[in-house]
Amino acid sequence: MDHSPPPPTGICLDMCPEQEIRLREQQGRLHRFETANVVNAKKVRGGYLHVADPKKAVKEYSRPAAGKELSCPRDLRTPNTLLKTVQYLIMDVFEYAKDRGPRMLAEAYSFVFDRLRSVRQDLIVQRVRGKLGAQILEGSLGFLLCAPYLVRELAIEWYDEVLHAVQVRETFSDLMECYQEGGSYPRQAEFQALLLLYDLGNLDAMHRAMTLPRGVGDSPHVNLALAISRAHLESNWVRLFRLVHRLNCLQACAFYGHVPIIRHRALHVLNQAYSSKKLLFPLDNLAKQIGANGPEVVADMCKRRGLTLDPGGKHVMFFKASFIGVGSESPGREVLLVEQKRREWSWAEIMMGEEEAG
């Protein structure tokens, strides 16, 4: 019998508790996305003290510390408020800021990432599960899976890849716990497939997917993700990229981080298979086989691996002895694998699942 006390129930109906707003106003810790118009700023010695716009202020992530109270009901947002907060962060803040230059993109990513951690923290403290808990986590994961593609060129002080990956995995873990509560979840098959793609090659994840209930485990989403996982385990790179072209935009973002190492392995296998001093392999054909943006991209990949191009620069000569290893490569822009799949949808709509609903 469980004798643990019941979890606290949040009663805060605002995205940020009033007490936190006043404290951060006094300390000058409001983010630019939370402040009211400068006309309303308070004049203080040395300048202006900005005041919060209650409709824009969002609760900060708070690091757990000894003696720190995280379970006060008036500081915990209700589940409906948490869902509203996720929607606001993605549909209003990030969508507005992402195309307004690198600096604004960096600030928007940092702000949304922190505030989504706070949303998840409120969920955990209240032990929110079920359909509403899943919906909140699904929206958060939409952002967490797409963001690495959109912020790929930001410096590490703005985008910490390791910390981001930790949040993705922990959010997936919380979401899977929601699904295990039982019941019907409209997006479960979609997110089970996203986990497979993010955790590509993980045998435990594949086994778990094959034991999912009917209607989820046999869904087109999960079947496609399992087929890609099998092609990856079999090193069947041609089949893998043929399947990857069938992914939607959100799925492609979940797969995105694996692209550099998979392309490297594919080139290594092709170099072994077609090694010859006389054979010339067309670069446009190679680009299609590994889902690259075009022959210029694969030409650069081949040259960095010690392979020789023909004088016209349209063919590569595969030769075992020439192939050299390269250091860790960061994922870059992907027109075919990611951007063309977005079509007329905004990034916010992709993150929130509007593409799937449509």
Side-chain angles (χ1 to χ4, degrees):
M1 183 178 293
D2 185 6
H3 295 287
S4 61
T9 300
I11 60 173
C12 179
L13 300 178
D14 298 314
M15 293 192 295
C16 187
E18 184 178 355
Q19 184 177 354
E20 180 183 318
I21 290 178
R22 301 301 163 234
L23 178 62
R24 290 203 282 124
E25 273 184 345
Q26 294 168 9
Q27 296 175 344
R29 292 194 299 109
L30 290 173
H31 195 282
R32 76 148 85 179
F33 295 132
E34 301 176 302
T35 57
N37 192 296
V38 71
V39 173
N40 298 320
K42 298 175 183 177
K43 186 72 180 290
V44 295
R45 188 168 62 180
Y48 285 90
L49 183 65
H50 289 284
V51 297
D53 182 339
K55 295 180 180 179
K56 296 180 179 179
V58 184
K59 184 179 178 182
E60 278 187 324
Y61 171 72
S62 177
R63 297 184 183 278
K68 191 166 186 177
E69 180 63 62
L70 295 177
S71 57
C72 178
R74 71 172 181 271
D75 293 332
L76 290 172
R77 293 159 291 182
T78 67
N80 281 320
T81 302
L82 293 173
L83 179 58
K84 181 185 75 172
T85 301
V86 171
Q87 293 168 338
Y88 168 75
L89 289 169
I90 294 172
M91 303 294 286
D92 290 87
V93 177
F94 195 77
E95 183 63 23
Y96 165 81
K98 66 176 177 52
D99 295 323
R100 296 176 180 269
R103 176 75 183 194
M104 184 71 85
L105 172 64
E107 290 189 16
Y109 165 77
S110 178
F111 178 77
V112 174
F113 181 78
D114 176 85
R115 279 20 178 205
L116 287 179
R117 291 182 77 187
S118 174
V119 165
R120 184 168 155 264
Q121 189 173 54
D122 276 16
L123 276 181
I124 292 171
V125 171
Q126 298 178 77
R127 298 182 215 164
V128 177
R129 292 287 184 267
K131 291 183 179 179
L132 190 52
Q135 195 175 357
I136 293 165
L137 293 167
E138 287 163 353
S140 298
L141 274 169
F143 171 81
L144 292 170
L145 291 173
C146 291
Y149 182 76
L150 296 170
V151 303
R152 62 190 180 274
E153 296 179 356
L154 294 184
I156 191 170
E157 60 262 29
W158 290 106
Y159 170 52
D160 186 328
E161 187 176 343
V162 174
L163 178 60
H164 189 99
V166 168
Q167 290 308 304
V168 173
R169 293 192 178 281
E170 291 182 353
T171 306
F172 260 128
S173 178
D174 292 344
L175 179 59
M176 295 303 132
E177 287 185 17
C178 287
Y179 293 155
Q180 288 168 11
E181 296 277 314
S184 175
Y185 297 88
R187 300 186 72 188
Q188 182 179 2
E190 181 186 358
F191 277 87
Q192 295 286 0
L194 289 169
L195 178 56
L196 278 170
L197 294 167
Y198 187 80
D199 244 353
L200 191 67
N202 184 304
L203 292 176
D204 289 338
M206 292 179 67
H207 175 73
R208 184 175 61 249
M210 289 185 283
T211 61
L212 290 169
R214 288 185 62 183
V216 177
D218 58 356
S219 67
H221 285 305
V222 173
N223 282 335
L224 177 57
L226 279 172
I228 291 172
S229 296
R230 293 190 191 100
H232 178 264
L233 290 175
E234 296 165 0
S235 299
N236 189 340
W237 311 119
V238 174
R239 173 171 169 73
L240 183 145
F241 279 106
R242 190 178 299 131
L243 291 167
V244 164
H245 283 297
R246 292 165 51 188
L247 297 175
N248 64 32
C249 187
L250 182 55
Q251 291 169 336
C253 287
F255 175 81
Y256 171 68
H258 304 292
V259 171
I261 186 63
I262 288 176
R263 283 200 179 126
H264 175 77
R265 291 172 179 170
L267 282 175
H268 185 262
V269 168
L270 288 168
N271 186 65
Q272 296 285 106
Y274 293 100
S275 179
S276 171
K277 291 186 176 180
K278 297 181 180 179
L279 177 67
L280 292 175
F281 198 99
L283 289 176
D284 56 354
N285 188 19
L286 179 58
K288 292 176 183 176
Q289 288 200 16
I290 62 174
N293 293 339
E296 301 82 6
V297 174
V298 291
D300 183 62
M301 293 172 63
C302 290
K303 287 188 287 187
R304 280 188 282 119
R305 287 161 175 79
L307 301 177
T308 303
L309 304 184
D310 71 334
K314 295 185 177 180
H315 300 79
V316 61
M317 180 184 295
F318 287 128
F319 192 55
K320 292 180 183 179
S322 300
F323 197 89
I324 58 175
V326 294
S328 177
E329 294 177 302
S330 298
R333 187 183 181 196
E334 295 293 342
V335 176
L336 296 176
L337 294 188
V338 177
E339 294 182 20
Q340 286 187 359
K341 298 173 184 295
R342 187 163 67 91
R343 298 175 185 173
E344 75 278 10
W345 302 100
S346 71
W347 277 106
E349 290 170 330
I350 296 295
M351 292 174 186
M352 292 304 300
E354 297 296 325
E355 174 199 38
E356 189 66 19

